[in-house]
Amino acid sequence: MKRAFYLLAVLVGLSISPHLHAQQSTDSLLVSATLEDCLRYALAHQPTIRQSFIDESITDRTVKSKLADWYPQIGLDANLQHYLELPTNIFAGNPTKFGVSNSSTALFTLNQNLFTRDLLLASKTAKEVRKQSQQTTARNRIDLVADVSKAYYDVLLTNEQIKVLGEDIVRLERSLQDANNQYASGIVDKIDIKRAAISLNNAKAQQKSARELLTAKQAYLKQLMGYPENAPDIPLTQNAEQTAAQVSAADTLQTTDYRNRIEYQLLQTQQSLLEANVRYNKWSYLPTVSAFINYSFVYQNEQFSKLYNANYPNSFLGVKLSLPIFQGGKRVHNIRIAEFQLQRNQWDFAALRSQINTQYVQAMSAYKSNYYDYLTLKDNVEMAQDVYNTLQLQYKEGIKTYLDVLIAETELRTAQLNYYNSMYQVLSSRIDLQKALGTLTANY
């Protein structure tokens, strides 16, 4: 009866398990996705970030493992032995068998470290080692925020470009229909129809290309976020107007402060650890001191069956001191190695400062240029729309040719696509500027 009940429970569990897995997978998908939603999801699910948190836990346990040597260390060594032939000792020139055939011992040891440079180093650097691990996670989070933000804007604005091309296709289809009607009425020749068809086919091909590109960009955004690869596309809720509202002039008078950069903070932590390493090697002349207590249970008997009938214990305690006297110059060489590593780290500071300054100058220049282009292209869209509307009316009144309308249509489409490209460029360069200034945060 019990066995049948167990089998039934297993079968029910197997039938429910896939449903639960599917439910968990569905629950992990975003219903609507603002940029903040995508950033929060990425910071919670991206494999690199999850690995960084695991690395923090590993570092914390490693530190605790090192510091555990300050606590008493208790051990047990036990053995059981039988002499096939008893050892022989010489007493007064006469060989004599010594000992018993069977013996067993159990040695309990308690050792307490009182002073050791390894533990001294572990105690003094524990905080810095943990900080280094946390700063590495912070750097990975900032990099992820920058990458996801750029990918989000890229997908969003590609969607808008597809909409622009869709609107353009509608206009061209209407123009093609008008050209056919006018041709049927004998107003225009067949060249206008062919021009309209060519423009329409080009717009459709461009839209098809943009849709294929959007698929690749969605896949890249999913990868950055740690989103299920087989899930539907991420439903971005932000529209072009909301994105345009985020394009605001940054403070171009800001100057970079190296201390705000997480990379600089990581170098500072590394410098502290290297300084501690120099001190550690200088401490190599210091003794190691420990206290110990040993207690032994000793059992001996000629008959194995009576081995544990009698115990002959012994115990002792003491203090152990180990002092290095001569190491062949090893201490001096290790000190110099540690000092060279510290000097090398100073050059890392110099290289990083130069790199940060270059990143700042490049990011600021790119942002200013892209922001100016954005404002210019925004005006171009409005003018291109006015030109197209005017020429469309003039064409219907017979003032302008159909070629003028097609040129205006092409210019309008190009202006709109360039406008959205410029919007992405200015948003992307602003993220690079914030990252260069050290003001980009990952608090989501």
Side-chain angles (χ1 to χ4, degrees):
M1 184 67 180
K2 289 183 179 180
R3 185 175 182 182
F5 179 78
Y6 174 76
L7 290 174
L8 178 62
V10 170
L11 291 173
V12 171
L14 290 174
S15 64
I16 293 176
S17 178
H19 174 72
L20 290 177
H21 179 72
Q23 183 67 31
Q24 289 173 354
S25 299
T26 303
D27 292 342
S28 67
L29 303 181
L30 294 175
V31 178
S32 62
T34 63
L35 176 58
E36 290 72 18
D37 293 332
C38 289
L39 291 175
R40 279 192 289 268
Y41 189 98
L43 291 171
H45 296 85
Q46 219 281 335
T48 302
I49 303 301
R50 296 174 76 93
Q51 287 176 334
S52 294
F53 283 119
I54 293 174
D55 290 341
E56 282 190 40
S57 299
I58 293 173
T59 299
D60 180 65
R61 292 295 180 177
T62 302
V63 170
K64 289 179 178 178
S65 175
K66 297 292 184 182
L67 295 178
D69 287 339
W70 279 121
Y71 293 97
Q73 309 295 307
I74 301 174
L76 168 66
D77 289 321
N79 70 2
L80 172 64
Q81 69 179 35
H82 169 75
Y83 277 111
L84 298 176
E85 187 174 346
L86 291 175
T88 301
N89 288 332
I90 304 298
F91 291 99
N94 298 316
T96 305
K97 295 289 185 180
F98 181 78
V100 294
S101 298
N102 302 296
S103 65
S104 178
T105 61
L107 172 65
F108 286 92
T109 61
L110 185 150
N111 189 79
Q112 175 63 60
N113 287 311
L114 301 178
F115 181 83
T116 166
R117 67 181 183 128
D118 290 337
L119 288 176
L120 192 61
L121 176 68
S123 299
K124 290 185 175 294
T125 60
K127 182 179 179 180
E128 296 297 320
V129 170
R130 289 190 176 102
K131 182 196 291 187
Q132 186 180 49
S133 179
Q134 293 165 359
Q135 288 172 336
T136 300
T137 299
R139 181 187 61 188
N140 292 338
R141 285 167 62 88
I142 290 171
D143 290 342
L144 181 64
V145 166
D147 293 339
V148 170
S149 298
K150 290 181 181 181
Y152 181 90
Y153 288 132
D154 198 11
V155 171
L156 189 69
L157 296 175
T158 302
N159 268 322
E160 295 300 326
Q161 290 176 335
I162 292 173
K163 291 179 183 177
V164 167
L165 292 168
E167 294 169 357
D168 188 47
I169 289 172
V170 171
R171 287 194 297 266
L172 288 170
E173 287 175 341
R174 186 168 57 245
S175 296
L176 179 59
Q177 183 62 41
D178 291 342
N180 278 317
N181 293 335
Q182 291 182 349
Y183 174 74
S185 302
I187 300 175
V188 299
D189 57 23
K190 209 166 185 179
I191 293 177
D192 287 350
I193 296 177
K194 292 181 178 179
R195 284 173 175 168
I198 291 171
S199 295
L200 178 60
N201 290 336
N202 288 339
K204 288 182 177 179
Q206 197 170 357
Q207 188 187 53
K208 173 66 175 176
S209 176
R211 283 175 174 164
E212 294 298 331
L213 191 60
L214 178 63
T215 301
K217 291 179 178 181
Q218 273 276 358
Y220 180 61
L221 180 58
K222 287 180 181 180
Q223 174 194 338
L224 290 175
M225 292 173 55
Y227 206 76
E229 62 273 7
N230 296 325
D233 288 347
I234 301 172
L236 308 189
T237 57
Q238 193 166 307
N239 55 36
E241 290 73 18
Q242 292 171 326
T243 306
Q246 295 179 353
V247 180
S248 57
D251 184 4
T252 56
L253 298 179
Q254 284 182 288
T255 57
T256 183
D257 186 350
Y258 306 122
R259 293 170 296 181
N260 292 337
R261 290 288 295 266
I262 187 63
E263 296 89 347
Y264 196 84
Q265 296 167 12
L266 266 167
L267 267 185
Q268 288 178 317
T269 303
Q270 185 178 350
Q271 182 183 28
S272 298
L273 293 174
L274 289 173
E275 289 172 349
N277 188 48
V278 172
R279 292 193 297 270
Y280 170 77
N281 284 283
K282 289 182 177 180
W283 293 337
S284 61
Y285 67 89
L286 296 175
T288 298
V289 183
S290 61
F292 61 90
I293 300 175
N294 291 350
Y295 191 94
S296 296
F297 294 90
V298 181
Y299 300 91
Q300 301 181 51
N301 203 294
E302 285 293 339
Q303 299 181 29
F304 184 79
S305 60
K306 297 180 180 180
L307 176 60
Y308 293 102
N309 288 352
N311 176 31
Y312 307 96
N314 65 79
S315 61
F316 59 92
L317 57 85
V319 176
K320 180 181 178 181
L321 182 145
S322 298
L323 177 65
I325 297 177
F326 179 71
Q327 299 174 313
K330 182 178 180 179
R331 173 176 173 270
V332 175
H333 296 315
N334 286 339
I335 291 173
R336 291 302 296 157
I337 291 172
E339 289 175 343
F340 284 138
Q341 290 172 341
L342 184 58
Q343 291 176 17
R344 190 180 187 281
N345 190 70
Q346 295 297 326
W347 286 106
D348 286 338
F349 274 104
L352 181 61
R353 282 192 290 266
S354 178
Q355 180 182 354
I356 290 174
N357 182 68
T358 301
Q359 289 176 352
Y360 166 73
V361 172
Q362 291 176 340
M364 181 63 76
S365 299
Y367 174 77
K368 289 180 178 179
S369 174
N370 291 329
Y371 187 69
Y372 177 78
D373 289 345
Y374 167 77
L375 296 177
T376 303
L377 293 170
K378 184 178 181 182
D379 293 336
N380 286 352
V381 171
E382 297 176 0
M383 290 187 291
Q385 186 70 58
D386 290 339
V387 170
Y388 172 77
N389 293 337
T390 302
L391 288 174
Q392 183 73 10
L393 291 174
Q394 292 176 340
Y395 170 70
K396 290 181 178 180
E397 294 175 0
I399 300 174
K400 294 291 183 179
T401 65
Y402 187 68
L403 179 60
D404 293 327
V405 176
L406 285 180
I407 293 174
E409 166 62 34
T410 302
E411 289 175 346
L412 175 59
R413 180 177 70 243
T414 302
Q416 290 174 325
L417 294 177
N418 289 342
Y419 167 69
Y420 285 118
N421 278 329
S422 69
M423 187 185 295
Y424 170 75
Q425 293 298 331
V426 73
L427 289 170
S428 179
S429 59
R430 190 177 66 177
I431 291 170
D432 290 336
L433 180 59
Q434 291 174 332
K435 191 175 178 182
L437 290 169
T439 58
L440 187 65
T441 62
N443 299 322
Y444 294 94

